Amino acid sequence: QVQLVESGGGLVQPGGSLRLSCAASGSIFSINVMGWYRQAPGKERELVATITNGGSTKYADSVKGRFTISRDNAKNTVYLQMNSLKPEDTAVYYCRYRDSDSSWGQGTQVTVSS
């Protein structure tokens, strides 16, 4: 089983930036995918970005060009750099680890508001 600890959420003004981090521990396999998902009030959880252990990335259309996902395999940590934030980015952001199984973090709140 894999445990995930997220950090970096908070309140930011429109146009601002935040960086989320997610550290994984436990039974981590060398081949895996880590990613970020978000859930806004009244909406379903949606994919934001994913990255494989080899560095291949995928982004939701709504965040392309503004968000960047990266990872440090030595630290088993994935990051999400969020720039040019918009009010519609407001949500709880969840980290996910996936190999043959799947684990989720507890979520971190991101609020974009003036």
Side-chain angles (χ1 to χ4, degrees), residues 48-65:
V48 176
T50 61
I51 184 167
T52 69
N53 56 284
S56 296
T57 59
K58 181 169 70 172
Y59 294 92
D61 288 343
S62 59
V63 307
K64 283 181 181 177

Side-chain angles (χ1 to χ4, degrees), residues 31 53 60 78 83 89 94:
I31 299 175
N53 56 284
V78 63
N83 299 328
D89 294 318
Y94 296 90

Side-chain angles (χ1 to χ4, degrees), residues 1 8 11 19 21-22 25-26 36 39 48-49 52-53 56 59 62 68-69 77 79 84-85 89 96 102 110 113:
Q1 192 167 359
L11 172 65
R19 189 193 195 207
S21 299
C22 173
S25 61
W36 292 94
Q39 187 167 18
V48 176
T52 69
N53 56 284
S56 296
Y59 294 92
S62 59
T68 302
I69 190 169
T77 299
Y79 306 95
S84 303
L85 282 161
D89 294 318
R96 185 188 187 193
S102 179
V110 172
S113 175

Side-chain angles (χ1 to χ4, degrees), residues 20-98:
L20 305 182
S21 299
C22 173
S25 61
S27 301
I28 297 169
F29 287 85
S30 58
I31 299 175
N32 61 71
V33 180
M34 296 187 74
W36 292 94
Y37 293 70
R38 67 186 181 187
Q39 187 167 18
K43 294 187 177 182
E44 293 187 354
R45 191 172 297 188
E46 63 177 1
L47 180 147
V48 176
T50 61
I51 184 167
T52 69
N53 56 284
S56 296
T57 59
K58 181 169 70 172
Y59 294 92
D61 288 343
S62 59
V63 307
K64 283 181 181 177
R66 300 188 299 122
F67 291 9
T68 302
I69 190 169
S70 61
R71 63 187 288 168
D72 184 334
N73 289 332
K75 296 181 179 179
N76 294 318
T77 299
V78 63
Y79 306 95
L80 186 68
Q81 178 66 44
M82 304 185 293
N83 299 328
S84 303
L85 282 161
K86 305 175 181 180
E88 50 264 43
D89 294 318
T90 295
V92 178
Y93 283 69
Y94 296 90
C95 177
R96 185 188 187 193
Y97 168 92
R98 181 167 57 87

